[in-house]
Amino acid sequence: MANLQSIATNPSVVPTTHTSIPTGHSMGLHPLVPAGTSMPISAAPTMGSGSASMGAAINPSMAASAAVHPTAATNATPHQKMQLIKSERHLFSSSDDSMVMRQIIATHSPDGRDIDTRPLLHVIEEVLHRATPSVVVETPPQMEVVEDRMQRNGIIGMLEALAYPIHRISCEISCKCTGRGDAHATTVALFNQLSSYTWDAKVVLALAAFAVSYGEFWLTAQLYTVNPLAKSVAMLKQIPDIIEHTDVLKLRFDALNNLIKSMLDVTKCIIEFKELPTEYISPDTSPMSTALTHIPTAVYWTIRSVVACASQIIGLIGLGHEYLSSTTEAWELSSLAHKVNNIHGHLTKQLSLCHRDIDEKKHIEAYQTLVRLFDTIHVDNMKILKALINNKEDLPLVDGLTKKRVSVDVLRRKIVILFISDLDISREELFILTQIYNDHLSTGKLERHYEMVWLPVLDKSAPWANSKQEAFDNLVSEMPWYSLYHPTILDTAVIKYIKDVWRFDKKLMLVVLDQQGRVVCPNAQHMMWIWGSLAYPFSSAREEALWREETWGLELLVDGIDTLILTWIKENRFICLFGGEDIDWIRRFTSAMRHVVQETRIPLQMVYVGKSNPKERVRRAMAAIAEENLSGYWPDPVMMWFFWVRLESMLHSKMQAGRNIDNDPIMQEVMQMMSFDGSEEGWAVVSRGSAEIVKTNGRKIVDCLGKFEEWKEGVEKDGFVSALTAALVPYETHEHCTRLILPGDTGRIQDNVICAECRKPMEKYILYRCCND
């Protein structure tokens, strides 16, 4: 990748300050060095043996203190310890920092070689993980079968080419840390050796060199009690003395482990920048350009930390108990770890911004791909379905019957209904849809000629809680059709397409794709609610054909809900459907209707169908009707719910087809029925068979029935329905207030709605209504 190789070697590109960084984390080129008291690099004390030299390179006052009082740090008060730690934050001033980085960048001269550093980092991590300073083997361990990870990762050839450079760097580190040189000079020497490599390769090779010596040291320490060769080598290096004082060295080992972890975190972050796809992010655009500016500093301080860690290990060899008991070195390592951690934090932030930009571009690309796919004619539906469902997953679906994961291929060349919703699906909707989906079983058909797939559309920015997982699992367990095995696999671009193009807004949608993946109906929910499986193949053309065959009547109102009413229609009986929630009106109406029936001796069947929101007041009305034997009623609230949902679906279906109340008689009737439901009054529909029908609101029909004596002669002459229709005419008035409550699918609600009573435009208001009574 050219990103990390493209850093300019011209010192003028290196900024000296970044005022946007808070005090204490001031970033020149180096993101973590705060501005402090100026201490030129050249003036730093030289590094002697042991880790005290690292302290000298970092803070001369601390080094001097440690030199005069070897045990002073051990006896320091908590306040003094904190001051020592805080002093580590001020390593160099911004001007010195800039000078250091110009010196480092001047060594950078990559020769174009591209090394895949991630597999090598895996090996390094394995070495550092197994070489755990806090664990020393004292009994023969159970031999572990170690997988040949290097062979698996296919990096043998690369390691052969890099073995000598790694050895050479390891020798350089050992030599410099053993002699009297300062940490910065040692770090610069390593950069000179690594000049021909990219930034990520520099830091990984330095870590590899450290891992070799570090691993050898702890391998000897771990095997010294169980292997004669290891014991001899350990004696020469005086490792037993170190092991003997493991408890004293614990603080230093912990600090060493923390610094090593920080070094690995920064290295991984640098490699991730290299692996970013260049087709989606350019090195010269923010935030990538900002990150590339900071990476040399991150590499410098990581390699500088390698030198510090190596100095600690070398410094342990042959040292006395007094030095071993010193805690100054642990504080120095902790200070360095704090710096490297802050560098990691800055890089991680930039990496997150880069990923955000990349994801945005990928989503735009995926969205545009979807648009192009739906504008193209295909041989089958596979390209469309894989783009919608998830082309990265081999088995993205769950079979509703077996509950096993399956591939998208099960939908090949089939009509597919995309069931789109969130997790808030009502039991009624699920029940009715299941009935329609399994309708072929009741008719004796062996197979269904279409399939359905649930695509749960959720807000990806919201956390995925256990409650959501439980709700999702419960829904999937009840669905006989296919569903995604998890909502998170639905791509963001697909969600955007569903919302922008198909206008999904939480309410259930059923988008129908034909065998070639073309959208043949933007929402088949309404036709399925009205006609059920009779609407197959659920295309808009089929919907229009079904409407051409329909006429307004009781059969259209109750079709598929109550088979007994359909039988009464065929027997040409008189039928009265009524609704509302005012129990006093229900008592007056049923009493008046029974009186008329007794007078006319007509076979009238009365059925209470409640309201579109069958809550507590409707349940109380049903209980009163049952207790007082006022009329028949639907005992299942789902039947009431479905009665009104079908009316809403008729309205939506007509609007979806571009119809309006002026040119569609059925739409006029549906609007009037829905206005009845929006009123606080009751209402009634009286019909004989499927031909004669009359409807009106509760006040008018009660008044009209109360004056039955004035129009009962018309019953014998014209029939009951015709006589009632004529008798209601004098009760029509221009003074009325019709309230029409439409469902919240505002995307398809017309701006101008005509009153079903007077055919004048209705005023538009906004109504917020809670479902609870």
Side-chain angles (χ1 to χ4, degrees):
M1 170 178 162
N3 295 11
L4 302 186
Q5 301 176 21
S6 62
I7 290 293
T9 58
N10 187 344
S12 63
V13 301
V14 183
T16 58
T17 57
H18 282 258
T19 56
S20 61
I21 304 301
T23 303
H25 301 284
S26 174
M27 293 178 63
L29 187 56
H30 152 17
L32 256 204
V33 181
T37 303
S38 175
M39 184 193 75
I41 298 294
S42 59
T46 57
M47 175 186 290
S49 62
S51 62
S53 58
M54 185 63 196
I58 295 176
N59 193 316
S61 61
M62 181 183 292
S65 175
V68 176
H69 303 288
T71 60
T74 307
N75 301 321
T77 66
H79 176 73
Q80 290 171 328
K81 292 178 181 180
M82 185 58 66
Q83 289 301 112
L84 286 170
I85 293 172
K86 287 182 177 179
S87 68
E88 294 301 318
R89 300 177 184 174
H90 301 278
L91 301 196
F92 307 114
S93 67
S94 296
S95 58
D96 292 332
D97 214 24
S98 178
M99 178 184 68
V100 168
M101 292 318 303
R102 279 197 288 268
Q103 186 180 9
I104 293 302
I105 290 176
T107 68
H108 185 62
S109 181
D111 58 9
R113 282 180 293 178
D114 186 24
I115 298 173
D116 185 5
T117 51
R118 187 168 287 280
L120 180 56
L121 182 62
H122 286 323
V123 179
I124 295 169
E125 283 186 286
E126 195 166 277
V127 171
L128 297 177
H129 172 71
R130 294 178 185 277
T132 306
S134 59
V135 178
V136 178
V137 180
E138 296 182 355
T139 57
Q142 181 180 358
M143 295 304 294
E144 181 182 359
V145 179
V146 181
E147 181 184 1
D148 191 351
R149 192 170 186 178
M150 292 187 296
Q151 185 66 43
R152 184 191 69 192
N153 288 335
I155 63 168
I156 294 297
M158 183 182 70
L159 286 179
E160 288 177 354
L162 295 176
Y164 177 69
I166 291 172
H167 173 71
R168 189 160 52 89
I169 297 164
S170 181
C171 292
E172 181 78 14
I173 293 173
S174 299
C175 179
K176 295 288 187 184
C177 291
T178 305
R180 290 185 173 276
D182 67 65
H184 172 69
T186 301
T187 306
V188 172
L190 294 178
F191 270 96
N192 284 325
Q193 283 202 30
L194 295 165
S195 62
S196 60
Y197 296 97
T198 56
W199 292 108
D200 65 304
K202 291 181 201 292
V203 72
V204 171
L205 289 174
L207 270 177
F210 169 69
V212 170
S213 58
Y214 188 71
E216 288 174 351
F217 179 86
W218 286 110
L219 181 63
T220 305
Q222 290 175 5
L223 297 179
Y224 126 88
T225 60
V226 296
N227 184 287
L229 177 59
K231 183 174 183 179
S232 299
V233 173
M235 293 297 292
L236 290 174
K237 291 190 173 185
Q238 284 297 292
I239 290 179
D241 192 42
I242 299 172
I243 297 172
E244 188 177 330
H245 297 91
T246 301
D247 55 337
V248 178
L249 290 170
K250 183 180 184 306
L251 189 62
R252 193 184 307 184
F253 288 158
D254 289 344
L256 192 66
N257 282 338
N258 290 335
L259 181 54
I260 289 172
K261 180 183 180 302
S262 301
M263 289 155 50
L264 287 172
D265 288 341
V266 169
T267 303
K268 289 176 187 176
C269 203
I270 292 170
I271 292 175
E272 285 188 57
F273 276 109
K274 177 187 177 181
E275 294 173 342
L276 293 178
T278 54
E279 64 269 30
Y280 294 109
I281 192 163
S282 172
D284 56 356
T285 58
S286 181
M288 190 64 178
S289 59
T290 303
L292 292 177
T293 303
H294 295 158
I295 281 174
T297 304
V299 174
Y300 170 78
W301 282 106
T302 305
I303 296 179
R304 176 81 175 254
S305 299
V306 166
V307 172
C309 292
S311 297
Q312 286 290 322
I313 296 301
I314 294 171
L316 290 174
I317 299 173
L319 294 180
H321 178 267
E322 289 183 354
Y323 179 77
L324 292 176
S325 63
S326 172
T327 58
T328 304
E329 289 75 15
W331 296 336
E332 293 169 355
L333 290 175
S334 296
S335 177
L336 202 53
H338 175 75
K339 173 183 291 297
V340 177
N341 274 333
N342 278 343
I343 291 175
H344 177 249
H346 287 294
L347 288 181
T348 301
K349 180 180 178 181
Q350 293 303 312
L351 186 63
S352 176
L353 293 174
C354 287
H355 280 302
R356 185 195 64 186
D357 289 354
I358 291 170
D359 288 344
E360 286 179 1
K361 291 178 181 178
K362 283 184 176 180
H363 294 154
I364 292 171
E365 183 180 80
Y367 180 85
Q368 292 171 343
T369 299
L370 269 178
V371 172
R372 287 194 300 270
L373 283 173
F374 276 105
D375 288 340
T376 306
I377 298 175
H378 303 281
V379 176
D380 60 22
N381 54 5
M382 282 296 96
K383 282 187 177 181
I384 291 289
L385 290 176
K386 286 181 178 180
L388 283 171
I389 293 173
N390 197 302
N391 55 13
K392 297 177 183 177
E393 296 281 346
D394 293 330
L395 304 173
L397 299 177
V398 174
D399 188 316
L401 296 179
T402 65
K403 303 305 177 186
K404 294 181 179 179
R405 289 178 59 175
V406 296
S407 72
V408 182
D409 289 329
V410 297
L411 306 173
R412 187 184 297 273
R413 291 187 176 278
K414 290 186 177 181
I415 292 174
V416 176
I417 299 176
L418 301 177
F419 174 11
I420 301 170
S421 74
D422 57 13
L423 297 181
D424 188 18
I425 306 172
S426 72
R427 294 293 173 186
E428 294 86 355
E429 289 175 322
L430 198 57
F431 175 77
I432 296 298
L433 201 54
T434 301
Q435 295 284 83
I436 296 171
Y437 184 77
N438 291 328
D439 186 58
H440 71 289
L441 300 176
S442 61
T443 57
K445 296 178 182 178
L446 297 178
E447 62 177 336
R448 189 186 309 99
H449 296 292
Y450 67 93
E451 284 299 344
M452 190 149 61
V453 180
W454 181 38
L455 301 183
V457 176
L458 306 179
D459 181 5
K460 287 200 168 187
S461 63
W464 183 254
N466 290 335
S467 58
K468 289 185 179 180
Q469 183 67 50
E470 184 179 352
F472 172 75
D473 292 339
N474 289 339
L475 287 170
V476 170
S477 67
E478 297 180 26
M479 292 180 176
W481 45 80
Y482 295 102
S483 60
L484 291 186
Y485 81 84
H486 201 274
T488 54
I489 71 169
L490 196 64
D491 192 80
T492 305
V494 175
I495 294 175
K496 175 177 171 58
Y497 187 90
I498 289 172
K499 290 181 176 181
D500 291 356
V501 179
W502 292 343
R503 302 173 70 181
F504 169 75
D505 185 20
K506 294 187 178 183
K507 289 180 70 69
L508 181 153
M509 286 183 65
L510 300 173
V511 179
V512 184
L513 308 181
D514 68 6
Q515 293 90 336
Q516 286 73 46
R518 294 174 298 189
V519 177
V520 292
C521 183
N523 191 1
Q525 176 194 1
H526 311 307
M527 75 171 89
M528 291 185 77
W529 271 196
I530 300 167
W531 296 288
S533 58
L534 186 64
Y536 175 84
F538 311 109
S539 64
S540 297
R542 175 60 176 163
E543 187 173 19
E544 292 177 11
L546 287 168
W547 274 126
R548 284 195 295 270
E549 298 171 6
E550 286 291 355
T551 55
W552 175 253
L554 205 59
E555 194 168 10
L556 176 62
L557 272 176
V558 300
D559 186 27
I561 300 176
D562 191 334
T563 55
L564 182 58
I565 291 180
L566 295 179
T567 301
W568 293 341
I569 293 173
K570 291 178 182 178
E571 294 173 354
N572 210 33
R573 294 193 188 189
F574 291 95
I575 303 165
C576 174
L577 302 184
F578 68 99
E581 57 191 7
D582 184 346
I583 188 60
D584 292 331
W585 175 86
I586 292 173
R587 290 190 180 105
R588 293 197 306 273
F589 168 68
T590 53
S591 176
M593 185 61 80
R594 278 200 304 270
H595 171 72
V596 171
V597 168
Q598 290 170 358
E599 289 288 325
T600 59
R601 297 181 181 180
I602 59 174
L604 178 72
Q605 304 291 336
M606 298 179 65
V607 179
Y608 174 67
V609 298
K611 285 180 71 72
S612 59
N613 189 24
K615 296 294 182 180
E616 184 58 34
R617 281 178 288 185
V618 173
R619 285 192 286 268
R620 289 199 296 266
M622 289 169 59
I625 290 170
E627 183 179 351
E628 301 171 28
N629 196 25
L630 300 178
S631 71
Y633 62 94
W634 285 337
D636 189 351
V638 175
M639 297 174 74
M640 291 185 182
W641 171 85
F642 194 42
F643 175 82
W644 292 103
V645 162
R646 286 184 75 251
L647 280 169
E648 288 181 11
S649 293
M650 292 176 197
L651 181 64
H652 279 299
S653 178
K654 289 289 187 179
M655 289 181 173
Q656 196 166 266
R659 309 290 291 181
N660 59 62
I661 195 171
D662 289 331
N663 58 22
D664 194 297
I666 292 180
M667 194 171 180
Q668 294 171 9
E669 303 290 350
V670 170
M671 294 280 278
Q672 190 168 27
M673 287 292 298
M674 293 185 69
S675 69
F676 289 162
D677 184 60
S679 171
E680 297 296 332
E681 299 181 67
W683 58 271
V685 173
V686 180
S687 173
R688 182 181 186 185
S690 59
E692 301 176 77
I693 188 169
V694 62
K695 63 185 182 306
T696 186
N697 64 38
R699 177 177 50 81
K700 293 177 184 177
I701 196 167
V702 169
D703 291 345
C704 183
L705 292 175
K707 297 182 179 181
F708 173 66
E709 297 297 327
E710 297 179 6
W711 54 272
K712 68 178 181 179
E713 294 181 358
V715 175
E716 295 181 4
K717 180 181 177 182
D718 302 319
F720 178 67
V721 176
S722 297
L724 178 60
T725 302
L728 285 168
V729 171
Y731 295 92
E732 300 294 337
T733 176
H734 294 293
E735 290 77 24
H736 67 274
C737 180
T738 300
R739 185 172 61 177
L740 177 64
I741 299 177
L742 298 175
D745 197 0
T746 54
R748 296 187 181 91
I749 296 301
Q750 297 175 339
D751 288 333
N752 296 319
V753 178
I754 304 301
C755 176
E757 295 281 343
C758 63
R759 300 295 187 267
K760 294 181 179 179
M762 300 179 71
E763 292 187 47
K764 184 166 63 175
Y765 292 88
I766 296 175
L767 171 66
Y768 296 94
R769 186 173 72 168
C770 180
C771 295
N772 297 321
D773 287 345

